[in-house]
């Protein structure tokens, strides 16, 4: 018999290294479950079904806008106008429904109002895309134009006044339930699945990530960079319009001054927390939805435990810092 020597090529990894590895690879999911555990420990009535409905309802609009923002960030851009486009869509629809034509023909008025409102928001996104792709204006500057003027247009259309209405068919968008699930949550899931599938399976998805990863290389490879950016910003505008309609339907009123306020910050935060790289080339749509859930849950946790609303803003900033730090750690580990 001969002696057999067993040689280990690598020493066991330290526990801290394993924890760091898990956090960097699953940071968003870990943060989400951590928040749930914290709420189970300190937030009264957290397990009640009404609490779930409240969070789903408030998270939906953030998630929808964050999906669009994730696509734009994945293409190497940014969109500051999403909040203003929400206000614009949320203003246009009630204007049509409350017009003489809309009041005389409620069903037709509703069928016209929703597409026209979405068309207006999409046109805003297309405008951003033209500035970015055709005129090579930096995205943050190009979208700043509608960030300022979009809400102004909505305020001019309504004279800055609140438009309240009582149209149950439209309000279903914000308050209805499908098989007991809030309808806006169903819309969010469908949009997330469609966009995630498009990114992973379609040629457009590959083009978008190629443009965000290395625009010059993508152009040399024959990718239609300008068309990709046009479509991406238009889709982002469309999604912002959907979120604007839902917000207006929830409130049964259109408020051009308040609808979509600071939504661009929440959307960027959700996208970054979800794993989107601000340098482009990566657009985790499902991660953005999870990021929106974390943003919403963090705000709910603070409010439900008596912390002032302003503190939630500080908490969001902290979340973004942690998310960016984890991204850098992940990048360094590659």
């Amino acid at each position: 018999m001969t002696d057999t020597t067993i040689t280990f090529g690598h020493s066991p990894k330290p526990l801290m290294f394993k924890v760091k590895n898990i956090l960097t690879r699953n940071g968003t999911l870990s943060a989400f479950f951590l928040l749930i555990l914290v709420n189970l420990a300190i937030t009264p009535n957290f397990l009640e079904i009404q609490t779930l409905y409240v969070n789903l309802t408030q998270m939906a609009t953030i998630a929808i806008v964050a999906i669009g923002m994730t696509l734009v960030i994945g293409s190497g851009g940014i969109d500051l106008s999403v909040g203003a486009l929400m206000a614009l869509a949320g203003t246009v629809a009630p204007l049509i429904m409350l017009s003489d034509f809309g009041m005389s023909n409620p069903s037709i008025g509703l069928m016209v109002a929703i597409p026209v409102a979405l068309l207006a928001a999409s046109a805003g996104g297309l405008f951003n895309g033209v500035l970015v792709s055709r005129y090579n204006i930096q995205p943050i500057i190009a979208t700043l134009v509608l960030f300022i003027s979009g809400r102004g247009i909505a305020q001019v259309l309504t004279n800055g006044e609140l438009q309240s209405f009582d149209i149950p068919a439209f309000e279903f968008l914000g308050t209805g339930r499908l098989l007991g699930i809030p309808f806006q949550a169903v819309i969010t899931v469908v949009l997330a699945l469609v966009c995630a599938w498009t990114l992973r399976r379609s040629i457009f998805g590959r083009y978008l990530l190629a443009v965000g990863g290395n625009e010059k290389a993508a152009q040399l490879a024959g990718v239609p960079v300008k068309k990709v950016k046009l479509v991406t910003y238009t889709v982002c505008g469309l999604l912002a319009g959907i979120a604007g309609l839902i917000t207006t339907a929830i409130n049964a009123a259109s408020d051009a001054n308040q609808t979509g306020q600071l939504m661009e910050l929440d959307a960027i935060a959700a996208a970054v927390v979800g794993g989107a790289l601000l340098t482009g080339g990566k657009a985790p749509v499902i991660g953005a939805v999870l990021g929106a859930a974390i943003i919403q849950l963090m705000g709910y946790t603070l409010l439900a435990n008596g912390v002032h609303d302003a503190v939630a803003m500080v908490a969001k900033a902290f979340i973004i810092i942690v998310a960016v730090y984890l991204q850098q750690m992940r990048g360094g580990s590659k």
Side-chain angles (χ1 to χ4, degrees):
M1 295 180 64
T2 58
D3 293 335
T4 302
T5 303
I6 301 175
T7 304
F8 294 96
H10 302 283
S11 60
K13 295 178 179 178
L15 178 62
M16 286 301 295
F17 178 84
K18 292 180 179 177
V19 172
K20 177 184 173 182
N21 198 32
I22 292 173
L23 285 176
T24 52
R25 290 182 180 278
N26 307 282
T28 307
L29 202 57
S30 302
F32 179 69
F33 284 119
L34 180 62
L35 270 174
I36 289 180
L37 290 176
V38 169
N39 275 287
L40 288 173
I42 66 172
T43 303
N45 307 318
F46 181 70
L47 285 179
E48 288 188 0
I49 194 70
Q50 190 60 31
T51 302
L52 176 64
Y53 283 157
V54 168
N55 280 294
L56 281 177
T57 301
Q58 296 185 358
M59 184 201 86
T61 51
I62 302 174
I64 292 172
V65 180
I67 292 170
M69 186 66 74
T70 300
L71 298 180
V72 170
I73 290 175
S75 72
I78 196 103
D79 190 345
L80 299 182
S81 69
V82 287
L85 294 180
M86 283 180 64
L88 184 61
T91 297
V92 170
L95 275 179
I96 296 174
M97 291 187 293
L98 297 176
S99 66
D100 292 339
F101 170 78
M103 296 301 287
S104 303
N105 307 277
S107 299
I108 299 176
L110 179 63
M111 287 190 288
V112 172
I114 292 177
V116 171
L118 295 180
L119 191 62
S122 301
L126 179 63
F127 176 75
N128 289 331
V130 170
L131 293 183
V132 172
S133 62
R134 302 289 178 183
Y135 297 100
N136 296 320
I137 300 176
Q138 287 292 323
I140 196 168
I141 302 299
T143 57
L144 192 61
V145 175
L146 272 181
F147 171 79
I148 298 169
S149 62
R151 189 174 300 280
I153 294 170
Q155 290 170 332
V156 168
L157 290 173
T158 60
N159 292 321
E161 297 176 355
L162 190 73
Q163 298 180 94
S164 59
F165 52 81
D166 183 14
I167 306 175
F170 180 74
E171 291 168 30
F172 186 82
L173 275 175
T175 59
R177 291 184 181 179
L178 193 63
L179 301 176
I181 303 172
F183 188 56
Q184 63 266 50
V186 176
I187 295 175
T188 304
V189 170
V190 171
L191 290 174
L193 292 177
V194 169
C195 290
W197 183 89
T198 302
L199 270 179
R200 291 180 64 88
R201 301 293 183 185
S202 73
I203 294 175
F204 172 77
R206 298 189 193 101
Y207 281 175
L208 186 148
L209 297 179
V211 170
N214 190 326
E215 184 174 331
K216 289 184 178 179
Q219 197 159 22
L220 290 173
V223 174
V225 174
K226 291 182 180 180
K227 288 182 180 177
V228 169
K229 288 186 176 180
L230 279 175
V231 173
T232 303
Y233 279 92
T234 303
V235 170
C236 185
L238 172 64
L239 293 175
I242 294 173
L245 291 181
I246 291 174
T247 302
T248 302
I250 291 173
N251 298 324
S254 169
D255 187 354
N257 302 313
Q258 295 300 323
T259 302
Q261 277 283 9
L262 299 179
M263 181 56 82
E264 54 281 344
L265 301 183
D266 282 346
I268 293 171
V272 172
V273 170
L277 295 175
L278 291 174
T279 51
K282 186 178 180 184
V285 170
I286 303 302
V289 175
L290 200 55
I294 291 174
I295 297 291
Q296 167 58 31
L297 203 52
M298 173 64 80
Y300 176 83
T301 304
L302 296 174
L303 292 175
N305 288 280
V307 180
H308 195 278
D309 187 34
V311 179
M313 301 295 291
V314 180
K316 289 176 187 175
F318 178 74
I319 291 172
I320 295 173
I321 291 172
V322 172
V324 172
Y325 174 70
L326 289 175
Q327 283 185 6
Q328 289 179 340
M329 288 173 65
R330 188 184 299 124
S333 65
K334 288 179 179 178

